[in-house]
Amino acid sequence: MALLSLGHACVDVYQGSVAALVPFFVAERAYTYAAASGLVLAASLLSSVVQPLFGALTDRWAMPWLLPAGTLAAGTGVALSGVGGSYPLTVAAIAVSGIGVAAWHPEAARVARATSRGSHTAMGWFSLGGTIGFAAAPPLVWAVLTAGGPGASPLLVAPALAGCGLCAVALRTAGSAAPPAAARAERTADTDDWPSFARLSGAVVCRSIAFVGLSAFVPLYAPLRTAGGEAAGSAALFVLYLGGAVGTAAGGRLAARFGRLPVMRWSYALAVPAVAAVVWVPGPLLYLFLALTSAGLYVPFSLHVTLGQDYLPRRVGTASGVTLGLAVSAGGLASPAIGALADATSLEVALAPLTGLPALGWLLLRTLREPVRPDPRPSTDPPAPGGRADAPAGRRTGPAVPRAPAPPAPAPPSPQRPTGRSEDRARSLDAPPEPLDY
């Protein structure tokens, strides 16, 4: 799981790299804001559309090779984006990177689920790797492109090469995870709860728009609230990302102790006043509320994935693709609307609607129930007559199966006709019985 988490960090560097590349392209190639937004939108749109498709494929076939291949594609696309000055080629390179990121996550989440054996804490560490990689992208891109300009972008392939090696070693160490067909055979009593999964996905969308919207505009908003200049914006973004890493690590431990849904509901509820304070409270207290906002929005991050997998036990790859894909792509698709509202009014007015999104997510989570997990011990008993076909193994419903009647006790031997000979009574038990004549 540690190797998978490090591999997650290596591939998610490229999720955060696209936005970090935009200022350099604008400065060096004179891209318009519309052209720059097109790069970010292309990456987000591809991730949201392609990732569930890869999830559906991994539901049918185990494809562990997607882990190193997806990492390499993600790194190669970003590395080539700075080569040359053609806008269509840059968009194509960003698209290749987005496809690689989308291919990696569903299969990686399936392997991580099999490796963790359902542990919320282990899945929390897996998600923490992605959060760290996303946060590490801006300083990495800044260091490389400041030294050599966009032409130095091929150096950004280094995390991908490291990630390929980590994923290969992780797969070899853990062994081949159980293929989806075998997993379905072991859980034939499970059914997919699509209504609950749809409500969970709605909560994920609310969380994504709130977090990505803040991360996109808080570097510009913090200097206005604290009068601290550009350093205040960088510090605010650092606090937001750091709180996300801490929240992701804590989410699995809290869920193991208090349960997933209670932890998720309390986290969303905490995020409502925290986001409101970020928007309206001035001064240094902004950083405190940014940390609370990040924790509230990132504590349930890994829990979204495991809960979605349990709601769709027959389609674990699809569930992983949707929950992980929407976690970033939904916010990326909504960011241009937030920017347009800020241009028309102000940043404060544009960020104010984000306050209501965690509240809407909390309402959606209130309607959810923890899925019933089957007894992991296999049962060979025949199904009970009249019981539900979808009842979990070991928890059958309906009338009990009657036990087979015990075999009748052997009848006492029939009395033999007296022969009048006393030696019959003294006959040895080992001697064969005399035939009866009727």
Side-chain angles (χ1 to χ4, degrees):
M1 185 58 70
L3 293 170
L4 286 174
S5 180
L6 291 173
H8 198 179
C10 291
V11 75
D12 273 12
V13 161
Y14 301 106
Q15 272 197 314
S17 294
V18 177
L21 288 167
V22 166
F24 293 93
F25 290 155
V26 171
E28 296 287 335
R29 301 178 180 177
Y31 285 171
T32 64
Y33 288 120
S37 300
L39 297 178
V40 180
L41 185 63
S44 298
L45 190 61
L46 275 173
S47 178
S48 61
V49 172
V50 178
Q51 195 156 301
L53 296 180
F54 277 105
L57 290 175
T58 60
D59 284 332
R60 301 194 63 178
W61 302 285
M63 294 187 287
W65 57 268
L66 281 177
L67 272 65
T71 305
L72 187 61
T76 301
V78 167
L80 295 178
S81 64
V83 178
S86 170
Y87 182 76
L89 290 179
T90 302
V91 172
I94 295 298
V96 169
S97 179
I99 292 173
V101 171
W104 191 90
H105 282 89
E107 179 66 10
R110 186 189 69 82
V111 175
R113 177 183 174 90
T115 303
S116 67
R117 294 177 174 86
S119 169
H120 301 317
T121 302
M123 288 300 292
W125 286 110
F126 170 74
S127 300
L128 175 62
T131 305
I132 293 175
F134 194 91
L140 175 64
V141 171
W142 181 86
V144 172
L145 270 65
T146 298
S153 64
L155 296 176
L156 295 174
V157 78
L161 298 178
C164 287
L166 289 168
C167 290
V169 175
L171 291 172
R172 185 172 182 178
T173 302
S176 179
R184 287 196 299 267
E186 293 175 359
R187 310 184 81 183
T188 54
D190 286 354
T191 56
D192 293 331
D193 187 354
W194 285 101
S196 295
F197 182 77
R199 294 194 293 273
L200 174 66
S201 300
V204 172
V205 169
C206 293
R207 178 255 173 214
S208 174
I209 296 175
F211 184 82
V212 177
L214 283 176
S215 62
F217 295 102
V218 78
L220 304 175
Y221 190 64
L224 301 177
R225 306 300 291 178
T226 62
E230 294 183 359
S234 300
L237 193 59
F238 175 75
V239 170
L240 190 66
Y241 284 151
L242 181 63
V246 174
T248 303
R253 293 183 177 275
L254 292 173
R257 182 172 182 179
F258 301 107
R260 282 181 297 191
L261 283 172
V263 170
M264 292 168 68
R265 290 166 185 153
W266 279 106
S267 299
Y268 275 73
L270 170 67
V272 175
V275 173
V278 168
V279 176
W280 287 298
V281 172
L285 284 176
L286 171 73
Y287 299 106
L288 171 63
F289 292 114
L290 274 173
L292 293 175
T293 296
S294 183
L297 295 177
Y298 257 97
V299 162
F301 182 68
S302 64
L303 308 182
H304 291 149
V305 180
T306 60
L307 188 61
Q309 291 172 339
D310 285 344
Y311 280 139
L312 301 184
R314 297 174 182 268
R315 295 172 175 84
V316 171
T318 300
S320 304
V322 171
T323 50
L324 288 170
L326 290 177
V328 176
S329 59
L333 295 175
S335 292
I338 299 174
L341 181 59
D343 288 335
T345 55
S346 67
L347 267 177
E348 182 176 344
V349 173
L351 295 177
L354 301 182
T355 304
L357 292 173
L360 179 57
W362 178 84
L363 289 175
L364 290 171
L365 293 175
R366 288 288 298 173
T367 64
L368 296 180
R369 296 293 179 267
E370 188 73 28
V372 177
R373 303 184 68 175
D375 190 343
R377 293 170 300 182
S379 174
T380 57
D381 296 337
R388 296 196 314 269
D390 61 343
R395 300 182 183 178
R396 304 186 182 279
T397 60
V401 180
R403 293 181 179 273
S414 301
Q416 295 184 0
R417 179 172 53 86
T419 60
R421 294 176 296 180
S422 60
E423 61 270 14
D424 289 344
R425 291 191 296 271
R427 184 180 55 192
S428 170
L429 294 176
D430 295 333
E434 296 180 356
L436 298 178
D437 51 328
Y438 296 93

